[in-house]
Amino acid sequence: MDRYEIPARELKLARRDARADRTVVRLRSGVTFGGETLAICAGPCAVESAEQLDATARAVAQSGANVLRGGAFKPRTSPYAFQGLGERGLELLRASADRYGLAVVTEVLDPRDVPLVARYADMLQIGARNMQNFALLREVGASGAPVLLKRGLSATVEEWLMAAEYVLDAGNEHVVLCERGVRSFDAATRNLLDLSVVPLLADLTHLPVVVDPSHGTGVARLVEPMALAAVAAGADGILVEVHPEPGEAASDGPQSLRPQEFAALMGHLAGIAAAVGRRLPAASLAA
Ligand code: PEP
Ligand code: MN
């Protein structure tokens, strides 16, 4: 097969040869995506309470995560499911992250909420369901804040890179791509995690790439092996759901790791990272 290519007239800014160097996305807190040190984003699917979030933040910081994740605005399939704590959730994220020396990544669902979320968060997550919400992409682009752009539920690589192009075209070059699996015919896993995109994207774009094995598989047991494989494949980081009591989680319990399972994952990741010339963040002193 010929090499896969995207026409330069469509992908102007995100294409690999648009820049000499690869993009390194830096958060205010000094965390980098795309440098030698991996970005390790961990936390609950949703911010549920001060206690739940703080216990999780403390545990993941102790294990060496450098970014706290957690949804304050949740994109739920049912309008009757828990929708998130909203601004209160953002306040809790900021407080726990500051307590343990972490940065914050959290989802923004609505273009009108971009300034609000950007006040609390270091990085704005565009969820899979919103990957082609072009108004939202332009708004996060105009904000200038670092963006974590998840792959859409059934998005091709080209559609995903074009979504990144919207953010870059709005004047914001701080974009990180996040592979989180795509829909498939097979119900054995929640999604089909596409790890081949990691080296493929390294050829197609200068943007950093992280992998979310939690949504990518939907199964806690599969998260560690896929996180290790992602880093072995060259990912610039991982995004992992962690909950102190997965059985009680308001959302995504079956794919959430317990804190001790996340600690074990981090222990095993160190050797893989070293083998591919990367390293884990230094565990936060504040934890
Ligand atoms: C999430 O990260 O909690 C989330 C909703 O992810 P996705 O958009 O990939 O489904
Ligand atoms: Mn989730």
Side-chain angles (χ1 to χ4, degrees), residues 45 69 74-75 107 125 127-129 150 180 212 215 241:
C45 179
R69 65 143 286 141
K74 294 303 301 176
E107 181 162 355
Q125 178 172 323
R129 290 154 194 80
K150 289 211 163 189
R180 48 78 74 207
D212 169 356
H215 295 88
E241 287 186 339

Side-chain angles (χ1 to χ4, degrees):
M1 189 181 128
D2 287 339
R3 263 177 94 78
Y4 175 71
E5 275 194 50
I6 299 173
R9 66 178 181 282
E10 289 172 21
L11 196 73
K12 296 182 190 197
L13 303 170
R15 59 188 304 109
R16 178 65 193 89
D17 53 16
R19 292 181 62 139
D21 301 329
R22 294 194 170 280
T23 291
V24 177
V25 171
R26 283 170 212 284
L27 310 191
R28 271 186 304 222
S29 49
V31 171
T32 56
F33 292 73
E36 194 184 326
T37 302
L38 296 171
I40 308 292
C41 314
C45 179
V47 181
E48 297 166 12
S49 69
E51 296 70 30
Q52 169 248 15
L53 184 70
D54 204 70
T56 311
R58 182 170 206 278
V60 300
Q62 270 170 346
S63 299
N66 53 359
V67 182
L68 178 62
R69 65 143 286 141
F73 295 97
K74 294 303 301 176
R76 303 306 301 281
T77 301
S78 165
Y80 311 119
F82 177 59
Q83 303 285 306
L85 298 180
E87 186 167 3
R88 173 77 187 132
L90 298 174
E91 288 168 2
L92 295 174
L93 281 165
R94 189 72 265 161
S96 288
D98 288 348
R99 195 166 298 130
Y100 304 113
L102 301 166
V104 170
V105 61
T106 193
E107 181 162 355
V108 59
L109 278 178
D110 186 321
R112 293 167 296 188
D113 289 334
V114 169
L116 171 74
V117 179
R119 263 207 305 285
Y120 291 95
D122 302 293
M123 185 177 222
L124 306 177
Q125 178 172 323
I126 300 297
R129 290 154 194 80
N130 268 320
M131 189 205 81
Q132 284 189 315
N133 181 337
F134 300 115
L136 183 60
L137 294 172
R138 288 208 183 279
E139 202 64 35
V140 298
S143 78
V147 174
L148 185 76
L149 179 62
K150 289 211 163 189
R151 183 179 188 172
L153 303 175
S154 64
T156 64
V157 166
E158 184 165 332
E159 288 163 342
W160 187 15
L161 285 170
M162 240 36 113
E165 187 81 11
Y166 266 86
V167 181
L168 296 178
D169 183 54
N172 184 349
E173 57 187 9
H174 314 294
V175 179
V176 176
L177 299 165
C178 179
E179 163 64 30
R180 48 78 74 207
V182 289
R183 284 263 168 101
S184 88
F185 53 86
D186 193 346
T189 54
R190 182 178 179 185
N191 290 298
L192 199 60
L193 183 64
D194 181 3
L195 290 182
S196 68
V197 292
V198 175
L200 178 64
L201 286 168
D203 288 349
L204 296 175
T205 181
H206 51 83
L207 297 173
V209 181
V210 302
V211 171
D212 169 356
S214 304
H215 295 88
T217 65
V219 183
R221 155 80 182 100
L222 305 180
V223 169
E224 175 179 319
M226 290 301 96
L228 302 184
V231 170
D236 297 301
I238 54 171
L239 183 91
V240 174
E241 287 186 339
V242 179
H243 195 289
E245 290 288 346
E248 319 261 285
S251 57
D252 288 350
Q255 68 194 33
S256 297
L257 298 187
R258 296 170 199 284
Q260 58 274 34
E261 292 168 332
F262 178 71
L265 182 169
M266 291 296 283
H268 300 144
L269 194 57
I272 304 282
V276 293
R278 312 298 284 267
R279 50 172 189 231
L280 299 182
S284 153
L285 294 177

